[in-house]
Amino acid sequence: IVCAAVSALTQSTLNGLRSVLKAPVMYEVDDQSAFLEARLAPEATQEQLEQAQLLLVTLLEGLQAIAKGYPRNVRIFFEERR
């Protein structure tokens, strides 16, 4: 259940970035290792960046709620990349 919830949140966010915002997104998905990485491409507009931030904050809040309910199964780490 936990894995499905995390997967649904992350996939929905990626779909929102690509389909709803029409933002240029570079992403990698590996279903075997349960890995998803997404980055907005440099050509994203300021409006797309701002709207993407709203989606990402919503994703984070959803993941934090799952982590609070299932602390043994979900941990959140922050890593800054440039």
Side-chain angles (χ1 to χ4, degrees):
I1 291 176
V2 175
C3 184
V6 169
S7 181
L9 284 173
T10 56
Q11 289 290 337
S12 293
T13 301
L14 179 58
N15 289 339
L17 291 169
R18 295 176 61 222
S19 300
V20 177
L21 300 183
K22 306 285 190 225
V25 180
M26 302 175 295
Y27 65 95
E28 177 184 349
V29 177
D30 183 347
D31 292 330
Q32 288 185 337
S33 64
F35 174 82
L36 183 146
E37 179 179 18
R39 294 177 186 217
L40 290 176
E43 61 268 17
T45 66
Q46 185 62 36
E47 183 179 6
Q48 287 171 325
L49 292 171
E50 291 169 5
Q51 291 174 338
Q53 190 64 30
L54 294 174
L55 287 178
L56 294 171
V57 167
T58 302
L59 169 63
L60 177 59
E61 289 182 1
L63 292 173
Q64 287 173 330
I66 295 169
K68 184 176 179 181
Y70 300 92
R72 292 164 129 184
N73 303 94
V74 177
R75 290 177 301 230
I76 299 172
F77 299 93
F78 293 94
E79 179 179 315
E80 186 173 329
R81 291 187 177 183
R82 295 188 183 252

